[in-house]
Amino acid sequence: MNHLILAPILIPALSAVIVLLTARADLRLHRSLSLLAMLLSCSASIALAYSAFSGAPQVYAMGGWPPPHGIVFVLDRLSATMLVLLGVLGLAALLYASQGWDARGKNFHALFHFQIMGLNGAFLTGDLFNLFVCFEILLIASYGLLLHGGGQERLRAGLHYVILNLVGSAFFVIGLALVYGGSGTLNMAELARKLTVASPAEGVVLTAAGLMLLFVFSIKAAAVPLQFWLPAAYANAAAPVACLFAIMTKVGLYGILRIHGLVYGLDSPHIVRYAPFLLLVGGAVTLLVGAFGALGSRGLRELLAWLVISSVGTALLAIGLLGTEATAAALYYMVHSTLAAGAMFLLAELIREQRGSTGDLLRPGPNVTQPTLLGGLFLLGALTVAGLPPTSGFIGKAAVLASATHRPEVVATVYAVVLLGGLIGLVTLSRAGSVLFWNLGPSPDIQPRAAGVGRVLPVLLLFGLTLGMSAGGGPLLELMTGVAAQATDTSSYIDVVLRDSGGHR
Amino acid sequence: MIPIALTIGFSAVMVSMFMALFRLIRGPRLVDRILALDTLSINAIALLMLVGIYLRSDMFFEAALLIAMLGFVGTVSLSKHAVGRSVIE
Amino acid sequence: MTLLLVILIPLLGAMLPPLMMRWGRGASAGSAILVTLAALGAWGSMVPAALRGEGATFKLPWIPALGLNLSLTLDGLALLFSGLILGIGLLVVLYAKDYLYKSDPMGRFFAYLLLFMGAMLGVVLSANLLLTVVFWELTSITSFLLIGFWGHRADARRGARMALTITGLGGLCFLGGALLLGHLAGTFEIAELTSLRDSTLSHGWYVPALVLILLGAFTKSAQFPFQFWLPQAMAAPTPVSSYLHSATMVKAGVFLIARLHPALGGSEVWFYLVGGVGLATLLVGAFLANLAYDLKGLLAYSTVSHLGLIVALLGIGTQYAVVAAIFHILNHALFKASLFMSAGIVDHQAGTRDLRSLGGLWRLLPFTAPLALIAAAAMAGLPPLNGFLSKELFLEQTLELPFAAGPWWLVPALATLGALLSMGYAVRFGVNTFLGPQPKTFPKPPIEPPWGMRIPVALLVAGCVAIGLLPDLLGAPIVELAAAASSYLEVEGVHFALWHGFTPALLMSGIAIVGGVGLWYLQRWFVPVFDQSIPLPSGERLFRATIAGLVDLSRSAKRAFHPGKLQTAIAWMILSVVLLVGSALLVKLPRWTPSPADIDPSLLGGVALLLLAIGAALYFHRRRAVSLAILGAVGLLLSMGFVYLSAPDLALTQLSVEVSTIVLMLLALHLLPAQSVKERVGLHHLRDGVLALGAAVVVGTLTWLLLIDPPTSATSAYYLAQSKPGGGGTNVVNVILVDFRGFDTFGEVIVLGIAALGVYAMLFGMGLPTRWTRPETPDESAYPLMLGVVARVLLPLALVVGIYLFLRGHNEPGGGFVAGLVFSAAIILQYLASGIGWTQHKMNIPFHPLIALGIFVAGLTGVIAIAFGQPFLRSWFEYYHVPILGEIELASAMAFDLGVTLTVVGGLLMVLVNLSKLPRSTSVRPLTLAEEED
């Protein structure tokens, strides 16, 4: 068996442990160690992706206990995609943080790597309770990271974030109890198998469980009306933390894809017939609410937070459309929006610093110290986020719209919603750009320092990747189609995981 | 013989717990409530012992041991708080 | 390949001008000229083949899944447009070099301009509809940058944003329509779309797709009712207005209509929609131009009007209508670009663009004035200029319409009216500026501008004259080729002539010319009337009001729904889950009678106690310490409940956690007021009550469902069976924790550690004191002597109990977690009894390394398994016979448990000890009742 599958979990855990054991050592040592670890786990993720895309899914039984009784890790194409995405994003965020942010509080690198560990675990696990545990790890690390840097606003936003997510976790546990109560197992593949043979009585409990889990994942994904935790949290987080948080909502979407797309099957009778409809409507409402909320934002980071919500809506909409093509579009869009949001949050921080006391408020203020660089990057970012060509945002949006043409009964509504959301996004970002870079007030006496290479490089890296996603859109969409096909093929998933129960005991 | 004794014992402990709970609710001061809580803990020890006899097993002995050993820590902390001091200083 | 180069050269070459700025403005402009010449050269090399009808093509797959390919073609229509783009572009670059003021960043200007040029070339050369969308949006973006070039001016910013929004809206509609069209036709390649015209027209989605695509074209070309953005865009520097907003970008919409006419045209919908909008625009634009005071505004409306003319012709769609349309595209580009440049000269030299402050400039600008007047004549459609030829053709085509449009004279009459209005504003432009009396002073004394600004005008006007005099030689070939590409019918044998005899069209022209002059005389009376008393509906005002209204709506909606209160958020959450799960239960719950369950009477007493305690805790929720005491009782009763359900491990854990929880809560309560704020009873309480009730019903029903039909779990049977043989322990709960599901425990232990770290980081940010000193005069009540003595005695005993519980955990109730809690409780007791200073002096435990060590040890047991070639966390156990002691068991699970214990101790102590240091922090003080917020 291939132990490499553990690398995305163990490498971050080990580096966090070493950082803690040497808690009194110099911060520079921690930085180098941390960066090295991130680089290693990112490379491991890429290696895993290579094997996942060229072969069958791999199953790893923890402790040697055979599925469905023990905990399993399952590496399929969907997991691999998310692993690579996280690796790249984490690398960029860490690079940025190492330029100074990590010194503004305690235990940054340990918390950071624990969060990476939790995220990787969530993407790899094939066991529902283990998913909960990994959610807990990533959530609690994110609380710590959110509070990093201190300050009144951050503490208040952090408090709300903690409490709302705790409520979500409580309901997750209730959902898990329902799953076990209805099926007698916590293993995803076994649950999928049970769902195909469930009796009517068991079916009620399993349906309730599925909807409860949908609720929990929607909280994580910040779908309306469960998005209240996001705007304040993202707007007040430290820049590298906000960058990493760009993938947090995608964890919720991953959960929906995995549990409802794969285990339950979105058109199965056990999840109520109106589940895809819920996703469609919920996605549409989220899209518009997010765009609308961005329009009325007073600060750049708040604006970006609302646009993140809007992008979640688009992805939900695409998932609700059903079908390999639509799911592939959703996946492409998820990857694009994560990279773009991460880059934009880092950029927003650079802009904020260079505008003196005005900060990132969207009113006339002094010119930034590096108008060409930041203005150009902002333009690129705005195009990417708004979905204008030739960026990956355009390709993602076009892919979603193209897949909607296969559902004539909803195509008009979907088009209206997506295009309207796109227009509002366009208006919002052009207003923001105009006030940040054109509508300039008097210059301050002391011009803030220009951003160094160390902090611009992560932004360039992430934007470069989105441009690569656009240029290589053809092969990438094909890859995503393969991912989508495998991610909805319930019967082969059951076969691969449960066949392995030849066991080692 | 034993079953009758057990029944009397259980009933007595139950009544005692209700009385402690009554005092916990009524108060009127925090000090009264703290004492009631402590009494409740002692009653719990008794209850556990009776359960052990009833089930003919020593599975729950350690639970009683823990209550006995650590139960007063809660009482002491609440008392310190009632006096107005920080619990640990 | 050369085709691709034509687009790439300006796009990539846009980097040159900013870089060349370090060698001066001349070098920068020179590089821009060179880039344009290079692109022209590449284009020129393909012209001969294209003129023969064998235009170059290029294809590169980009995203086959979407049908988006890099397909380019140089057919007639593309040839005409690309020639215009490159030729006029070169002239504009020359003009701009002298037009831009010293303070303008020239490098950036030319960069944007070249980017636009490349994008526009992409639009016209594209042979794939989706690719056209891509370049289309790029032109919108570069236009935005160019209009907002003088970003310090509010009108420039507004104009840029408005242009972007309107054209962006159109672009999005275009995308939607293109996707629909691609889906119904099965391809995005324009050549194939043309051959599928019949099936397209009969498809149910034809009309929606057509409307969306036309919306894109109409917004881009500022057709009615979207015409209001173009005058706002006049805030751009004049070279921009001349290039984009007369010759190229606004023509993109017209180009699209022409390009798709063979694929979508010929239906009634096409005729009425395209023709109607075009005609309406012709009239509205011409009318508004007569009212304009701003030179550029007048020209902007005139552009709108002429575009309407072209669109109307394309709507008519007969062979000669298409020919006329193409011809007018060419002619209009020539004279309008030169007119804008002349207006720019006037503005640049005289300092004003307002007609009311201008006049008699022919004396002061003797070179520019005649050129401008000729161009204005072409705009008005006077012979023998090119404008006259295409206007004649237009008037002629209105007499023969393919579909019914009212009485036969209606459309021609309207067309004549349009021509009349055109004459009116053309005269207004020419006469009011250059002829007539001179005003007393000009803002700047006007003199002729540098040659760089005059030569482009001269060349363009020469073009107008040349085509007017020799249309067959100069215009016909290219027009025929382009028209053929724009029509699904055969187009050949195109001839132009100045004199066709006394045709009805000539009569109409004559009426228009005479009437126009008369109109000009009347302007001095009716223009002020419209100015002062008749407010025309202003699209621009409506637009700004809409945007501002939406922004305000968004802000007030956020204030209403996002007040930043937790109650709102949680209320929504509870509502969602109640609706979601509750509705499913309602739908799916089978109707069966519940079987009465047997209830154990002794249980009733315990349940009553529990409910009573919980109720009391709720009742006293405002008095925090009281509530905490009652919660302690609840915890105790809960442990009893665990005992009843035969779960000793859980009972042990619950009891040991109680201690730490109470201490933790009290540490926090020390800093809060004793009572929380009394709330006024309001409507939201009703809401909360209903939601709580709903949630209770839902969760209660679910629990009941679970209890009446417990699952038969193969996994639980497996665990019970394998616990001793596979796991080496008889305590199946512990074996599950450390072996079967050890990875979960590993994760949860990490969670505990992270929580401690996070708390520490947060407290550190609040300013914890680094050195701890005992207070000078220790109070007796702080460290009571009795407590100290008892604590000291209890410590070793508690440690022994902890070790005992740890060691026997695998087979009896106990385990690492409980042991860790007991250790922590014992140590906390020391802190409690003797204070932080004394205890830390006696045993200074480093918490960070302890937590790390615990996680490390737990992980190590897993990794060691890998070293033996086994999966992670695979456990091992062996029984050994030791003399005297008997049989003992060594298990790797014990090492794992050790890791758990270490982490628990480290984490718990880190939190409690640091929290207790908080009252002495530099920035924290206890809250008073008034300051407390929810």
Side-chain angles (χ1 to χ4, degrees):
Chain A
M1 85 194 53
N2 188 5
H3 296 288
L4 189 63
I5 204 175
L6 292 172
I9 313 286
L10 290 182
I11 296 180
L14 183 66
S15 64
V17 161
I18 297 181
V19 163
L20 286 175
L21 282 172
T22 59
R24 312 265 160 147
D26 191 29
L27 185 62
R28 282 197 299 262
L29 178 66
H30 287 172
R31 267 182 203 161
S32 330
L33 176 68
S34 184
L35 277 168
L36 180 64
M38 191 71 230
L39 209 59
L40 280 174
S41 72
C42 186
S43 321
S45 302
I46 295 177
L48 284 171
Y50 184 70
S51 69
F53 273 94
S54 52
Q58 292 172 34
V59 178
Y60 189 93
M62 291 285 172
W65 297 107
H69 307 298
I71 299 173
V72 285
F73 267 17
V74 180
L75 174 72
D76 66 352
R77 293 181 189 174
L78 180 60
S79 312
T81 312
M82 301 305 286
L83 282 179
V84 173
L85 178 62
L86 175 62
V88 169
L89 190 71
L91 198 58
L94 195 58
L95 266 172
Y96 189 95
S98 302
Q99 302 302 313
W101 259 109
D102 54 355
R104 297 203 204 178
K106 280 274 170 192
N107 299 328
F108 178 82
H109 289 281
L111 289 169
F112 188 88
H113 278 282
F114 277 135
Q115 169 143 23
I116 300 281
M117 174 191 174
L119 282 163
N120 278 332
F123 292 139
L124 278 172
T125 185
D127 180 282
L128 273 170
F129 194 84
N130 199 233
L131 183 65
F132 172 73
V133 172
C134 292
F135 265 39
E136 287 298 291
I137 297 179
L138 75 93
L139 275 176
I140 205 150
S142 70
Y143 305 156
L145 284 175
L146 184 57
L147 298 174
H148 181 79
Q152 266 268 37
E153 278 306 316
R154 233 170 240 142
L155 276 175
R156 177 177 294 130
L159 177 69
H160 285 216
Y161 177 74
V162 168
I163 294 183
L164 290 173
N165 275 299
L166 279 177
V167 173
S169 297
F171 279 106
F172 199 163
V173 176
I174 296 180
L176 286 176
L178 289 171
V179 166
Y180 190 76
S183 67
T185 181
L186 288 168
N187 183 286
M188 288 182 197
E190 177 70 7
L191 176 62
R193 193 185 67 79
K194 280 280 173 71
L195 278 167
T196 57
V197 296
S199 70
E202 288 166 334
V204 182
V205 174
L206 287 173
T207 307
L211 287 170
M212 188 71 82
L213 289 175
L214 183 63
F215 169 71
V216 171
F217 293 139
S218 302
I219 297 178
K220 254 323 324 85
V224 169
L226 306 164
Q227 83 292 353
F228 291 91
W229 60 270
L230 198 150
Y234 281 36
N236 287 305
V241 174
C243 171
L244 188 60
F245 277 19
I247 204 170
M248 297 278 274
T249 48
K250 311 304 177 289
V251 176
L253 288 170
Y254 168 83
I256 293 178
L257 274 173
R258 182 64 82 196
I259 303 302
H260 299 90
L262 183 65
V263 173
Y264 272 82
L266 275 174
D267 36 11
S268 93
H270 282 291
I271 190 69
V272 293
R273 222 154 286 277
Y274 54 82
F277 175 73
L278 265 179
L279 288 176
L280 261 175
V281 171
V285 172
T286 309
L287 204 166
L288 289 175
V289 166
F292 202 49
L295 185 60
S297 295
R298 292 194 191 269
L300 182 58
R301 289 175 301 170
E302 187 195 344
L303 192 155
L304 291 172
W306 281 103
L307 286 179
V308 168
I309 296 180
S310 189
S311 72
V312 166
T314 314
L316 272 178
L317 189 70
I319 297 177
L321 281 172
L322 299 182
T324 314
E325 196 184 331
T327 313
L331 284 168
Y332 183 96
Y333 196 83
M334 269 164 62
V335 175
H336 135 79
S337 60
T338 309
L339 294 173
M344 282 302 270
F345 274 113
L346 292 180
L347 183 62
E349 171 75 9
L350 292 178
I351 295 176
R352 190 183 73 93
E353 278 186 352
Q354 294 186 7
R355 281 182 93 218
S357 57
T358 320
D360 75 332
L361 286 176
L362 293 172
R363 57 180 167 83
N367 201 0
V368 297
T369 317
Q370 297 167 293
T372 321
L373 178 66
L374 294 184
L377 284 175
F378 184 85
L379 179 66
L380 179 59
L383 291 180
T384 313
V385 172
L388 289 172
T391 62
S392 51
F394 171 75
I395 309 234
K397 189 175 302 199
V400 171
L401 287 173
S403 64
T405 55
H406 298 294
R407 301 277 304 274
E409 67 272 15
V410 294
V411 70
T413 329
V414 170
Y415 269 53
V417 164
V418 174
L419 295 177
L420 181 61
L423 181 64
I424 299 180
L426 182 65
V427 171
T428 310
L429 285 165
S430 64
R431 281 167 59 94
S434 163
V435 83
L436 286 173
F437 294 101
W438 283 346
N439 193 354
L440 303 171
S443 305
D445 302 321
I446 312 171
Q447 192 68 5
R449 266 194 6 213
V453 169
R455 286 200 292 159
V456 175
L457 195 61
V459 180
L460 289 175
L461 172 67
L462 290 172
F463 275 138
L465 282 170
T466 63
L467 286 174
M469 278 184 73
S470 166
L476 195 59
L477 264 181
E478 261 190 61
L479 269 179
M480 292 295 129
T481 313
V483 176
Q486 197 188 56
T488 45
D489 190 358
T490 315
S491 49
S492 12
Y493 181 80
I494 297 175
D495 281 337
V496 168
V497 175
L498 294 181
R499 171 179 35 95
D500 216 308
S501 63
H504 310 275
R505 298 261 174 179
Chain B
M1 187 66 187
I2 302 271
I4 303 172
L6 276 175
T7 316
I8 299 175
F10 273 125
S11 322
V13 168
M14 271 301 174
V15 168
S16 172
M17 282 183 126
F18 267 106
M19 288 160 79
L21 195 63
F22 175 78
R23 185 48 58 192
L24 189 59
I25 297 174
R26 274 282 287 194
R29 293 170 304 162
L30 183 61
V31 185
D32 303 306
R33 296 191 165 98
I34 296 172
L35 283 174
L37 185 61
D38 206 52
T39 314
L40 206 57
S41 319
I42 308 294
N43 278 317
I45 300 177
L47 190 62
L48 285 172
M49 292 293 102
L50 286 173
V51 166
I53 298 173
Y54 174 70
L55 291 175
R56 297 170 200 274
S57 123
D58 60 357
M59 225 179 3
F60 299 105
F61 173 70
E62 280 75 26
L65 176 66
L66 274 186
I67 302 179
M69 193 170 67
L70 298 175
F72 78 101
V73 177
T75 312
V76 166
S77 324
L78 279 166
S79 312
K80 261 197 144 179
H81 183 84
V83 174
R85 308 199 70 91
S86 171
V87 178
I88 301 179
E89 47 189 346
Chain C
M1 191 59 203
T2 326
L3 261 182
L4 188 63
L5 271 180
V6 173
I7 302 179
L8 280 181
I9 290 176
L11 282 180
L12 294 174
M15 289 191 293
L16 276 179
L19 290 174
M20 298 297 278
M21 274 300 276
R22 63 166 63 204
W23 283 289
R25 293 165 70 87
S28 184
S31 66
I33 295 176
L34 272 174
V35 170
T36 317
L37 279 173
L40 251 176
W43 175 82
S45 70
M46 296 185 292
V47 168
L51 280 175
R52 282 198 305 271
E54 299 156 8
T57 56
F58 175 82
K59 183 159 175 177
L60 184 69
W62 183 11
I63 306 186
L66 284 179
L68 170 57
N69 300 309
L70 267 173
S71 307
L72 306 172
T73 179
L74 191 62
D75 65 359
L77 186 62
L79 186 65
L80 172 66
F81 266 90
S82 48
L84 280 176
I85 296 169
L86 285 167
I88 300 186
L90 184 63
L91 294 175
V92 165
V93 171
L94 264 173
Y95 181 85
K97 171 176 160 302
D98 288 320
Y99 180 89
L100 287 176
Y101 297 101
K102 278 280 185 321
S103 57
D104 291 324
M106 187 179 261
R108 203 148 47 95
F109 181 83
F110 282 125
Y112 293 162
L113 200 69
L114 287 173
L115 277 174
F116 169 79
M117 189 187 290
M120 193 68 210
L121 283 167
V123 170
V124 303
L125 291 175
S126 158
N128 178 298
L129 197 57
L130 276 185
L131 188 67
T132 313
V133 176
V134 169
F135 283 116
W136 183 277
E137 299 279 43
L138 277 174
T139 62
S140 293
I141 296 161
T142 45
S143 157
F144 169 74
L145 292 173
L146 282 167
I147 297 174
F149 182 69
W150 285 326
H152 48 272
R153 287 170 48 166
D155 59 344
R157 289 195 300 268
R158 272 201 302 268
R161 288 203 308 267
M162 186 183 298
L164 184 64
T165 308
I166 302 291
T167 53
L169 167 67
L172 287 168
C173 293
F174 182 16
L175 174 64
L179 284 170
L180 287 178
L181 182 59
H183 177 82
L184 75 90
T187 177
F188 288 104
E189 301 291 319
I190 298 181
E192 289 169 38
L193 283 172
T194 309
S195 60
L196 291 166
R197 191 179 76 94
D198 292 314
S199 56
T200 306
L201 256 59
S202 52
H203 197 279
W205 279 2
Y206 166 68
V207 174
L210 179 66
V211 168
L212 285 174
I213 294 179
L214 284 177
L215 269 173
F218 291 157
T219 51
K220 189 72 115 184
S221 294
Q223 299 294 292
F224 181 80
F226 305 107
Q227 79 287 350
F228 54 88
W229 72 263
L230 196 57
Q232 302 302 313
M234 293 301 123
T238 306
V240 175
S241 311
S242 150
Y243 192 33
L244 270 69
H245 302 128
S246 62
T248 50
M249 191 182 97
V250 292
K251 290 247 167 55
V254 174
F255 167 81
L256 188 66
I257 298 179
R259 178 54 99 204
L260 288 178
H261 180 230
L264 298 174
S267 65
E268 271 191 42
V269 179
W270 176 279
F271 173 73
Y272 287 117
L273 197 51
V274 180
V277 167
L279 195 59
T281 311
L282 165 69
L283 292 168
V284 168
F287 177 66
L288 290 173
N290 275 291
L291 300 178
Y293 286 121
D294 174 19
L295 273 182
K296 280 174 71 173
L298 189 154
L299 290 175
Y301 280 121
S302 157
T303 305
V304 168
S305 173
H306 279 268
L307 289 174
L309 190 155
I310 302 173
V311 168
L313 279 168
L314 286 170
I316 295 175
T318 57
Q319 282 111 313
Y320 260 89
V322 173
V323 168
I326 302 289
F327 196 30
H328 200 64
I329 290 176
L330 174 63
N331 295 335
H332 176 260
L334 289 176
F335 61 67
K336 196 47 74 61
S338 61
L339 280 169
F340 265 106
M341 286 186 188
S342 334
I345 289 177
V346 170
D347 186 24
H348 200 258
Q349 302 302 109
T352 177
R353 301 199 309 238
D354 195 320
L355 277 171
R356 293 168 288 199
S357 322
L358 292 169
L361 280 172
W362 65 274
R363 288 186 208 95
L364 300 162
L365 300 172
F367 185 84
T368 309
L371 292 174
L373 287 169
I374 298 175
M379 176 165 72
L382 293 171
L385 299 165
N386 59 356
F388 169 71
L389 288 166
S390 39
K391 180 107 19 128
E392 276 273 293
L393 275 172
F394 164 61
L395 294 171
E396 215 177 282
Q397 295 309 309
T398 59
L399 295 167
E400 287 175 23
L401 303 173
F403 294 97
W408 67 269
W409 48 262
L410 180 62
V411 175
L414 289 174
T416 314
L417 176 62
L420 192 154
L421 290 168
S422 302
M423 182 71 191
Y425 66 70
V427 177
R428 184 179 168 80
F429 176 87
V431 171
N432 289 25
T433 314
F434 296 101
L435 305 174
Q438 233 178 344
K440 291 258 175 25
T441 51
F442 292 103
K444 281 164 48 175
I447 52 168
E448 282 285 359
W451 280 108
M453 285 170 79
R454 285 184 274 173
I455 292 181
V457 182
L459 285 172
L460 287 167
V461 172
C464 295
V465 176
I467 292 185
L469 294 174
L470 301 166
D472 238 1
L473 183 66
L474 295 171
I478 180 71
V479 171
E480 179 173 333
L481 214 56
S486 316
S487 176
Y488 52 88
L489 302 163
E490 285 288 318
V491 175
E492 50 187 16
V494 169
H495 287 292
F496 302 124
L498 267 175
W499 179 251
H500 284 275
F502 284 105
T503 54
L506 192 61
L507 177 64
M508 289 155 79
S509 293
I511 299 175
I513 292 172
V514 170
V517 175
L519 185 66
W520 174 73
Y521 268 114
L522 295 172
Q523 275 172 2
R524 71 195 71 192
W525 285 290
F526 74 77
V527 173
V529 167
F530 273 98
D531 225 20
Q532 269 113 36
S533 24
I534 305 184
L536 290 168
S538 164
E540 177 238 334
R541 270 201 299 273
L542 186 66
F543 174 83
R544 280 169 51 191
T546 313
I547 300 281
L550 282 175
V551 173
D552 280 334
L553 187 64
S554 164
R555 293 201 174 137
S556 31
K558 280 206 278 196
R559 266 198 304 275
F561 288 104
H562 256 251
K565 295 178 69 142
L566 269 180
Q567 284 90 327
T568 325
I570 298 186
W572 276 106
M573 284 173 112
I574 305 289
L575 179 66
S576 313
V577 76
V578 166
L579 284 178
L580 197 58
V581 182
S583 60
L585 285 177
L586 280 175
V587 166
K588 285 206 143 195
L589 208 55
R591 295 178 189 80
W592 22 309
T593 51
S595 48
D598 309 313
I599 305 176
D600 188 349
S602 64
L603 190 57
L604 278 174
V607 170
L609 272 173
L610 198 55
L611 287 176
L612 211 57
I614 296 175
L618 286 173
Y619 180 75
F620 286 109
H621 76 275
R622 281 184 51 231
R623 294 166 61 181
R624 296 181 162 128
V626 172
S627 194
L628 186 60
I630 300 178
L631 279 176
V634 170
L636 194 60
L637 293 168
L638 216 55
S639 327
M640 297 300 110
F642 286 138
V643 167
Y644 173 79
L645 290 169
S646 185
D649 285 89
L650 290 171
L652 280 174
T653 314
Q654 177 69 33
L655 289 168
S656 32
V657 162
E658 271 310 304
V659 175
S660 309
T661 311
I662 290 185
V663 172
L664 181 66
M665 297 292 281
L666 286 173
L667 284 171
L669 281 185
H670 182 69
L671 294 167
L672 288 172
Q675 289 199 2
S676 69
V677 178
K678 187 170 171 67
E679 296 174 18
R680 275 173 299 130
V681 178
L683 205 61
H684 60 278
H685 283 132
L686 183 64
R687 168 201 78 184
D688 292 341
V690 168
L691 281 175
L693 199 62
V697 167
V698 166
V699 177
T701 314
L702 288 172
T703 317
W704 171 71
L705 279 174
L706 279 180
L707 290 176
I708 57 175
D709 196 5
T712 47
S713 169
T715 307
S716 86
Y718 182 84
Y719 286 167
L720 285 168
Q722 287 287 324
S723 175
K724 181 76 171 150
T730 51
N731 182 0
V732 69
V733 172
N734 183 274
V735 175
I736 292 177
L737 277 178
V738 301
D739 201 350
F740 291 128
R741 297 192 72 95
F743 188 66
D744 274 344
T745 311
F746 184 54
E748 288 291 5
V749 136
I750 290 180
V751 170
L752 182 56
I754 299 173
L757 292 172
V759 169
Y760 178 78
M762 182 179 81
L763 293 175
F764 183 84
M766 292 180 179
L768 288 178
T770 42
R771 290 194 68 247
W772 194 264
T773 53
R774 211 169 165 161
E776 286 306 317
T777 48
D779 203 335
E780 173 52 35
S781 66
Y783 312 116
L785 186 60
M786 284 300 295
L787 186 60
V789 170
V790 171
R792 228 66 76 222
V793 172
L794 204 51
L795 181 62
L797 292 175
L799 288 178
V800 168
V801 170
I803 295 173
Y804 169 70
L805 285 172
F806 175 80
L807 285 175
R808 77 166 204 167
H810 219 43
N811 296 300
E812 305 279 329
F817 194 67
V818 180
L821 287 170
V822 170
F823 291 146
S824 313
I827 298 176
I828 281 296
L829 186 56
Q830 310 307 312
Y831 279 92
L832 201 62
S834 311
I836 303 174
W838 185 92
T839 317
Q840 285 212 296
H841 179 69
K842 292 281 188 280
M843 67 178 162
N844 195 357
I845 308 174
F847 298 131
H848 280 87
L850 191 59
I851 296 176
L853 191 63
I855 300 174
F856 181 70
V857 167
L860 192 62
T861 57
V863 170
I864 286 182
I866 295 182
F868 281 95
Q870 298 291 339
F872 183 67
L873 284 181
R874 160 101 166 202
S875 66
W876 163 91
F877 58 93
E878 233 2 287
Y879 293 95
Y880 295 100
H881 194 86
V882 171
I884 302 178
L885 286 173
E887 191 181 86
I888 62 168
E889 179 193 355
L890 274 182
S892 66
M894 196 173 295
F896 186 82
D897 240 353
L898 179 65
V900 172
T901 309
L902 290 174
T903 315
V904 167
V905 171
L908 213 46
L909 287 179
M910 179 189 278
V911 171
L912 290 174
V913 170
N914 284 299
L915 198 52
S916 57
K917 289 185 187 169
L918 200 57
R920 287 251 209 118
S921 104
T922 45
S923 56
V924 170
R925 56 174 174 74
L927 275 180
T928 61
L929 195 62
E931 293 166 309
E932 195 185 331
E933 45 194 321
D934 50 349

